[in-house]
Amino acid sequence: MQILLGVTGSIAAYKACDLVSLARKRGHSVRVMMTASATRLVSPTTFEALSDYPVLTDTFAGTTSTMDHIQWAKWAEVMVIAPLSANSLGRLACGLADEVVSTVAMALPRGTPAVLAPAMNTEMWLHPVVQRNRRWLAELERYTIVEPVEKRLACGDFGV
């Protein structure tokens, strides 16, 4: 399977490295795209080494052409955005395509499965605007949303 992984600016970005490793061990091809915030948490070089593909970090500075966002969207058999930050969730909910992950998500062909895995602090997750944005995305029936679970968070809190 050809998996397109979007990594956004959540502290959980380091866990995406495990996703790539597990998928590769199971024989899947994985390409990674990252928001600028995500690159401050995990280096694109890490994902290049794990995936054996260049990492897409800029819509207009493609790996092979300035149309990479279209080509990568067409390449994907499934797109997963994990972690999905509150900021990127809002971008998707409002139809904004102002960085590479949201741009590729907007270019994803209809019918290509898209899985979203939100990851943020409990208070951020429970914020009414974030919950509204989650509902908006769920209503589109274009995305499968993997709801966050309760556990110890990076900040030390326990919660969703």
Side-chain angles (χ1 to χ4, degrees):
M1 178 176 289
Q2 294 177 174
I3 302 168
L4 181 57
L5 176 63
V7 181
T8 70
S10 163
I11 191 62
Y14 75 93
K15 292 183 177 186
C17 297
D18 289 336
L19 290 176
V20 174
S21 291
L22 289 169
R24 292 290 310 273
K25 286 178 185 172
R26 292 183 178 171
H28 304 294
S29 296
V30 182
R31 289 186 181 177
V32 178
M33 54 187 174
M34 302 175 73
T35 64
S37 295
T39 65
R40 298 196 55 162
L41 298 163
V42 179
S43 167
T45 305
T46 301
F47 287 110
E48 288 177 3
L50 293 171
S51 70
D52 204 27
Y53 279 105
V55 172
L56 198 57
T57 58
D58 186 317
T59 305
F60 299 105
T63 59
T64 57
S65 81
T66 56
M67 299 301 282
D68 276 349
H69 62 287
I70 302 295
Q71 297 308 315
W72 282 43
K74 289 179 180 178
W75 174 87
E77 293 177 339
V78 63
M79 179 188 72
V80 177
I81 303 179
L84 177 65
S85 66
N87 188 51
S88 292
L89 189 150
R91 276 189 182 119
L92 290 176
C94 292
L96 301 177
D98 60 350
E99 48 68 47
V100 72
V101 173
S102 60
T103 300
V104 173
M106 292 296 146
L108 196 69
R110 286 173 301 221
T112 301
V115 179
L116 307 178
M120 62 199 75
N121 176 272
T122 302
E123 294 304 321
M124 294 172 75
W125 175 247
L126 296 176
H127 193 284
V129 172
V130 172
Q131 288 303 303
R132 180 204 61 203
N133 290 341
R134 184 194 61 74
R135 282 191 307 275
W136 283 359
L137 289 171
E139 289 169 6
L140 295 175
E141 298 181 0
R142 182 167 173 86
Y143 302 102
T144 299
I145 301 173
V146 178
E147 300 289 331
V149 297
E150 270 192 67
K151 63 179 193 167
R152 185 178 178 282
L153 306 177
C155 65
D157 292 349
F158 184 86
V160 177

